[in-house]
Every structure is written in C-alpha cells, then in structure tokens.
Amino acid sequence: MMGKIILTGDRPTGRLHIGHYVGSLRRRVELQESGAFEKIFIMIADAQALTDNADNPEKVRQNILEVALDYLSCGLDPKKSTIFIQSQISELTELTFYYMNLVTVQRVQRNPTVKAEMLLRGFNDTEGADNKAGTPVGFFCYPISQAADITAFRATTVPVGEDQEPMIEQTREIVRKFNATYGPVLVEPDILLPENSACLRLPGTDGKAKMSKSLGNCIYLSDSAEEVAAKVKGMYTDPGHLQVSDPGKVEGNTVFTYLDAFCRPGDFERFGDCFKGRKSSFEFHDLDEMKAQYRAGGLGDVMCKNFLTAILNDTLEPIRVRRKALEQDIPYVYEVLREGSDKARELAADTLADVRRAMKINYFDPEILDELVREQSEKYANA
Ligand code: ATP
Ligand code: MG
C-alpha cells in the first residue's frame, strides 16, 4: 500500500483571504499535523496565474512572496510540507503538452468553472482592438496543466474549495485515458472538500459571488484588526431586516455564513460581551440560539457584526503576529521556496520519465537506443 500524497496550491494573484483559509489552508495545516500523509506538496501556481495575467508578470512575481508569507504564517511547515513555485518545475509544462492530446476542446468548453471564469474575465467578448478580448489559449488549457501538477506528484488527495471540483474530475479523466492508452502509470486523485458547507465556497463581503482576489470582495489574512472591523461593518446582511425588532433572515446572510465557517465552541463564552447592549442584552450558548433570536427579531446587525469581528480577529491575530516576524526574514522565505522547488523537481522528473517510457518517446535511454538500432537495422537488413 503506497502512502498518501497531497498536492494543492494557490495562484499568486494577491494575498490570501479568509475564503482560502476556510476552503483549503486551515485544512492543509490540520492534514500536515495529522501525520497521515507520506508527502505534502504546496504549489504557488505562478505559471497558471500568468495564463490570465500575461501582461502583468510583475504582479505575479510580487505575490509569490505574499502567498509564501501567508502560508508560513498560517502554520505550513517547510519541514513537513514541500512549498514550491510551479514555473520552476519545467517537467510540468512537458506533461501538460502530452496530456493536451487526451482532452478535447469541447470537453474543456463544458467545464463549468472554466465557463464561469471566462465570463468573469470578459474572455467571451468578441475580439477587441486592444487585443484584450478573446480567450488566451494558455488560460483555456489550465485545467490540463492542473492535471499535470496533480499527477506529477502522484497525488492521491487534493484538498481544495468546491470551485475546483470540475478540475479534479478533468484530471481523473486524463489519468484514466492515459493509463488505458499507455499503461498504468498515473495515480487517480481524490478531491477533499471542506466538511463544513459554509466553507465550500465562502461568499465575498458583498454577499454576491464567492470571495475572490479578482473581485475585490475579500478579507485578507494580513488585514489589520481595524480593517477587518471596517469590512465586517460594511458587510451585506439581510436587506429586509430594517428595524432591530424585525424578524431577520439567516439564510443568504453573509454575517451568518461567516459565523458558520468560523465560530468555534467557547466563542459565546469568550466574546459574550458583544451581546450586552444598553437597550437589550442576550446570553447565547451556541450559534443555533443566536440564529433563533435573529429570526425572531430583536437582535440587531451591529451586535452580530461585533461578534463576528471578535471571532475573526481572534483567529487572525496569531497569523498576523507570525507574518510580522517572517516579514523581517525575507531571505529565509526565498530559501524555503528554493529548497522546496528543488525537492519538487525530483519527483516530477521521476514521473515524467515514467510517462515518456510509457509513451515510447524515450528513444535515447541507453537500453532503448540499443534495441531501437537493432530493430531498425534488422528491418533494413532483411529488405
Ligand atoms: P483568483 O481570483 O485569482 O482565481 P481566488 O481567490 O479564486 O483567486 P485561487 O488561487 O484560484 O483563489 O484558489 C486557491 C484555493 O482556494 C482553491 O483551492 C480554491 O478552491 C480555494 N478558494 C478560493 N476562494 C475560495 C472561497 N471563496 N471559498 C472557499 N474556497 C476558496
Ligand atoms: Mg480562482
């Protein structure tokens, strides 16, 4: 029985936000500490980020460090997890090129995440004079490059948010097609989704779409306590909840979705003061009691938001403290990335060698070359 291997990562298009935290990052740290995995690879997907940021390499370059700082501040430990930069593993692009032949254009076009992201980026618009409209071919192929990333490290387990489900499915299809065509070389991965449904796709502070760097509706892990308070204050709740005494809706109310994602046992005890007001006071023991009161009316948004701010800042404070310290040791961070990239390259090269062998494109491997020369010589000797 082979050990289990994790691969996951993030695009360096901005600092990481609390959607990343609940969707993937928090889980990664737990899995890292569980000891249940033989290897853990965490990839900063700069090559993928360039597929829709080709004209802005500086942004990608800057954010590699930001993402690395966020990782280390959250508790990813380079002794236990290999953190690396995608573009430094050229084996991945070669795998992508071979896998492209196993996927149709029509199949990628049906991928719901690709569809949604193309719409978001305006890639469906007809060709504009500024050459910005239309879909970069590299972007279109990113689900295939993701299959290369996952399979290069023989990952069994991919802990990601719900938006990545179609990508993992695409990878599984490529693995099956490859193995059926060339022999059993690649490992079929499983997705590992957050257990808590609020964490599958955390909405943005605007309450509309998923929290996403590209949409500017984020609470960043590196936001100050004041920034977090201000963002929560401006958050979308229930537009029908005009008077404090009105019954409020919990479903689709972003404050409650965030509470579902972040509230832990004990928070009502520790931050109970948030519910002590001049006009009315409450004592809740758990989220269900708080929700029941909100639904019944009488519990105002301000109290709920103060409570959420207290919880968020309590979660983020240790992360901020660690980040501040790491910001003073940038050489260390780059050393982690360099060492991680060297280590990642070894395994990717190993997988690529297996792939080339299976595809019979390893002409110059010593034994193969001898055999090839013999075989072709005989063909002509007998002609
Ligand atoms: P971009 O806008 O550049 O695509 P992003 O904010 O969507 O950035 P990614 O780097 O694409 O972030 O995603 C990294 C990981 O975080 C993926 O596993 C993804 O599923 C997860 N993730 C991103 N946003 C959320 C969210 N709002 N809720 C839960 N998980 C999320
Ligand atoms: Mg994304």
Side-chain angles (χ1 to χ4, degrees), residues 88-281:
Q88 301 310 295
I89 320 296
S90 52
E91 284 78 0
L92 299 175
T93 51
E94 188 174 334
L95 285 175
T96 304
F97 195 68
Y98 301 140
Y99 295 174
M100 280 178 179
N101 304 323
L102 307 176
V103 181
T104 64
V105 169
Q106 289 73 14
R107 175 66 183 87
V108 178
Q109 273 168 340
R110 281 201 308 272
N111 182 314
T113 303
V114 171
K115 274 195 208 166
E117 292 187 340
M118 278 171 54
L119 204 66
L120 183 76
R121 289 166 175 75
F123 286 165
N124 291 313
D125 303 351
T126 44
E127 199 74 52
D130 60 354
N131 218 7
K132 282 231 164 171
T135 312
V137 174
F139 178 85
F140 188 74
C141 295
Y142 97 75
I144 302 165
S145 111
Q146 235 169 282
D149 303 333
I150 294 168
T151 54
F153 301 99
R154 300 177 188 152
T156 54
T157 313
V158 188
V160 284
E162 194 182 35
D163 61 309
Q164 293 302 305
E165 220 163 6
M167 302 300 160
I168 310 305
E169 191 42 45
Q170 177 70 81
T171 300
R172 294 167 61 89
E173 283 175 30
I174 290 174
V175 169
R176 289 197 288 264
K177 188 86 185 271
F178 186 99
N179 288 349
T181 312
Y182 303 116
V185 170
L186 304 178
V187 177
E188 211 173 313
D190 286 314
I191 191 168
L192 189 63
L193 290 170
E195 280 151 10
N196 177 338
S197 70
C199 303
L200 286 172
R201 187 180 291 253
L202 196 77
T205 47
D206 56 2
K208 282 188 210 118
K210 108 178 163 70
M211 181 173 289
S212 165
K213 287 169 255 159
S214 312
L215 294 174
N217 56 4
C218 304
I219 294 178
Y220 292 99
L221 294 176
S222 49
D223 279 348
S224 69
E226 295 73 31
E227 282 168 317
V228 171
K231 286 182 183 179
V232 172
K233 205 166 168 210
M235 253 168 75
Y236 176 89
T237 57
D238 168 13
H241 190 230
L242 298 174
Q243 307 279 340
V244 172
S245 54
D246 289 344
K249 264 218 270 316
V250 166
E251 289 71 30
N253 183 324
T254 316
V255 171
F256 282 94
T257 309
Y258 284 20
L259 286 174
D260 281 331
F262 281 94
C263 193
R264 296 146 304 185
D267 282 344
F268 282 92
E269 224 166 89
R270 294 166 62 214
F271 307 118
D273 282 353
C274 297
F275 300 108
K276 307 260 174 292
R278 268 182 295 119
K279 286 192 197 137
S280 50
S281 289

Side-chain angles (χ1 to χ4, degrees), residues 47-59:
Q48 188 189 118
L50 285 167
T51 66
D52 59 328
N53 290 282
D55 54 354
N56 204 350
E58 190 54 33
K59 169 172 134 187

